[in-house]
Amino acid sequence: MKTRWLLISCFLLLTAAASAMALAGMFQDSSELSATGNGAADAPEPVRLVWLHHFGEDGSRKWIDSGIRKFQEKYPGVTVTVVPLNGGDYMSMLRMRVATDEMPDLYMIDNIQGARDLIDSGYAADLTGKPFLERLKPEYLNGAKTEDGRIWALPIDANGLGVTYNKDVFARAGITTVPETWSEFLDVCRKLKMRGVTPIAAGYKENWTLFWDLAADLIPSALVANPRLIDDLSTGAATFEQSKAVFEGPFTRLAERYRYVNADPFETSWDEARSMVAEGRAAMMIGGTWSVDGVRSKREDANIGLFPFPASEVPGAAKFAMKSTGGIVVNPHSRHADLAMELLELYAEPELGLSLQLNKKGISVIKEVNGNLDPALAELNEAYMKTGRTVDWSGILPDFTDPELGRAYSAAVADYLLDPDHDLDAALRGLDEAFGQIRPAAVPNGEEETADEEAA
């Protein structure tokens, strides 16, 4: 197990290093990545805005480009360069830009809790009181606020965590209803496998997909009731072994459904996994509602739907974990922060909200945008959002902000799956050992002065 952990850790580190080198290359020659437009030929000093995000789907990029085109109708001499990064390394790459004093003009974040270090360091413009925020549905501002009520990002859409499935594959296997309990989910997997169809598409080659596969269960079934757990594990205020009751259910269910994923999941990319569902070679994928755009980008007419991850044995108890994406952030240290703010403001307009729903296949948070939802999201809205079968996780930190802790966690989850025995106790002990080596040793309250004197 130690050998596998080291191999996976090395792989994740090499992936992060490769992404860092690629990002450096992007910034050195960013003119090659301009989404639209060019600097004015006669301008003595062309103006260029750089925007970092982690969207890999075609629809998301079309939505971003639609806003840039509108922006450049007003500012034809401004070049906007968009830099898409791998989702698993995204926050690490952002923090690398802080360390090298090369932060972009705009960037995306998934949640405020996971970006507090960037906010506290002054790399997020305060949007509190901006008139354009009045265009948004107020409940979706929760995911963009800190405890003091200040707003640091422009929310763009409402994201959910659950299961994306191919309805035609279900129908061919004789499955007429979505599973509402964990036992029913496993029964569905068995029926699909007997029909020669891969039940679950797993693209674990990118570690972020495994993270969200687990999170689709862990967040609504455990972290909603323990919102400070990730913080406490990060600081050492709690340990994984002490928190076994929280992790046991989600980890056990992850291992139980692992037998129904495609062959070689750690060699399968996210791109291939979404192709499998789009083409009907696999029936389901577990993660977020962003999978709708992912599958549609492979096959526009795929007959897909969504249902919440059924973690319990209580019919009807499963709920979609819903929140607004953290959103678009302006770097106030940008030389062109005023232009960056104008670009951000455009994405709060109904025209861009409609573009989001048509292209990104998301649920806009703008008040005036109604209809034009993707059929899978329209069904989610009718069956779960309007009926109260959702749970808000806006205030929950789902991941570890320290990249070393995040890599150790991802490696341990992978190692747990690769272990034929799926020994949870060993996995939790290993996590505590790894975290203890990474984070600074905690000094008991009242002993700081003694510790400092001894160090001197």
Side-chain angles (χ1 to χ4, degrees):
M1 288 181 64
K2 290 183 178 179
T3 300
R4 285 196 298 272
W5 191 94
L6 288 171
L7 287 173
I8 294 167
S9 297
C10 290
F11 172 78
L12 294 173
L13 287 169
L14 287 171
T15 300
S19 299
M21 289 187 287
L23 180 59
M26 289 176 182
F27 274 83
Q28 289 169 2
D29 193 12
S30 56
S31 62
E32 296 182 3
L33 292 168
S34 295
T36 55
N38 294 299
D42 58 349
E45 189 176 342
V47 176
R48 179 170 62 96
L49 297 178
V50 177
W51 182 354
L52 264 63
H53 68 78
H54 55 68
F55 299 126
E57 297 75 28
D58 292 340
S60 298
R61 297 182 187 189
K62 288 178 182 177
W63 161 69
I64 289 175
D65 287 352
S66 67
I68 292 173
R69 284 193 297 272
K70 184 173 182 181
F71 176 77
Q72 289 181 322
E73 290 174 4
K74 183 176 181 181
Y75 297 105
V78 177
T79 296
V80 181
T81 299
V82 292
V83 183
L85 302 178
N86 178 278
D89 301 321
Y90 180 73
M91 291 305 294
S92 295
M93 295 301 97
L94 265 185
R95 294 183 175 101
M96 185 189 76
R97 305 316 302 178
V98 172
T100 58
D101 196 25
E102 296 177 283
M103 279 290 281
D105 305 280
L106 303 97
Y107 58 94
M108 302 292 300
I109 57 173
D110 281 337
N111 61 78
I112 292 297
Q113 292 75 22
R116 283 301 297 266
D117 56 325
L118 300 178
I119 295 169
D120 294 342
S121 299
Y123 287 100
D126 189 347
L127 305 183
T128 310
K130 294 288 186 182
F132 58 79
L133 294 179
E134 294 296 322
R135 304 172 192 157
L136 276 58
K137 298 174 184 177
E139 64 267 26
Y140 289 119
L141 288 172
N142 292 334
K145 291 179 181 178
T146 45
E147 296 84 351
D148 57 7
R150 297 164 76 185
I151 299 170
W152 302 98
L154 175 69
I156 56 173
D157 61 359
N159 273 323
L161 299 175
V163 183
T164 303
Y165 74 108
N166 188 312
K167 292 184 174 183
D168 292 337
V169 174
F170 268 43
R172 286 195 295 269
I175 302 167
T176 57
T177 60
V178 297
E180 293 206 354
T181 67
W182 180 239
S183 294
E184 289 178 4
F185 183 86
L186 293 178
D187 284 341
V188 164
C189 289
R190 283 189 284 269
K191 289 179 182 178
L192 290 164
K193 192 170 183 178
M194 288 177 62
R195 290 295 185 112
V197 177
T198 298
I200 303 169
Y204 297 160
K205 187 173 183 179
E206 286 108 329
N207 63 297
W208 67 266
T209 62
L210 174 55
F211 175 87
W212 286 110
D213 188 317
L214 174 59
D217 180 355
L218 180 65
I219 288 174
S221 69
L223 292 188
V224 166
N226 299 273
R228 290 193 52 83
L229 181 60
I230 300 300
D231 273 328
D232 290 343
L233 291 167
S234 297
T235 61
T239 70
F240 284 92
E241 288 192 276
Q242 291 170 345
S243 310
K244 180 179 177 179
V246 175
F247 288 101
E248 187 168 18
F251 269 63
T252 300
R253 287 186 287 273
L254 178 67
E256 289 177 345
R257 66 180 183 269
Y258 184 62
R259 76 188 77 168
Y260 297 111
V261 305
N262 47 281
D264 301 319
F266 288 96
E267 299 298 323
T268 303
S269 68
W270 156 246
D271 185 72
E272 173 61 17
R274 52 196 173 116
S275 291
M276 292 171 67
V277 175
E279 296 165 6
R281 291 182 285 127
M284 300 178 282
M285 61 195 321
I286 301 170
T289 50
W290 54 80
S291 297
V292 173
D293 186 15
V295 173
R296 292 270 185 246
S297 68
K298 293 296 182 181
R299 182 174 173 176
E300 183 66 30
D301 64 348
N303 186 14
I304 56 175
L306 296 159
F307 61 88
F309 187 88
S312 79
E313 294 296 346
V314 181
K319 294 184 177 182
F320 248 93
M322 298 292 298
K323 78 174 186 68
S324 61
T325 296
I328 309 170
V329 180
V330 167
N331 174 12
H333 298 301
S334 163
R335 292 175 59 195
H336 308 293
D338 53 341
L339 287 172
M341 187 64 73
E342 285 197 49
L343 178 57
L344 173 142
E345 184 175 347
L346 279 177
Y347 288 85
E349 293 186 0
E351 178 184 340
L352 269 296
L354 178 60
S355 175
L356 179 140
Q357 293 195 164
L358 292 175
N359 291 303
K360 188 178 180 292
K361 306 296 187 287
I363 301 174
S364 175
V365 300
I366 299 173
K367 293 176 183 176
E368 297 179 33
V369 179
N370 297 299
N372 296 294
L373 280 173
D374 180 273
L377 296 173
E379 185 176 75
L380 167 68
N381 187 39
E382 291 295 324
Y384 299 101
M385 296 177 71
K386 286 186 177 181
T387 59
R389 291 188 63 184
T390 62
V391 58
D392 183 4
W393 62 286
S394 299
I396 294 173
L397 177 65
D399 197 4
F400 300 92
T401 56
D402 184 311
E404 287 191 73
L405 295 180
R407 284 192 291 270
Y409 178 73
S410 295
V413 174
D415 197 40
Y416 169 74
L417 285 183
L418 291 170
D419 172 17
D421 296 325
H422 302 306
D423 189 336
L424 179 61
D425 290 324
L428 297 180
R429 283 196 305 271
L431 275 165
D432 283 329
E433 291 173 6
F435 274 44
Q437 293 172 2
I438 293 168
R439 63 183 171 232
V443 179
N445 291 334
E447 295 184 14
E448 290 85 355
E449 185 175 344
T450 301
D452 289 340
E453 290 172 356
E454 291 177 354

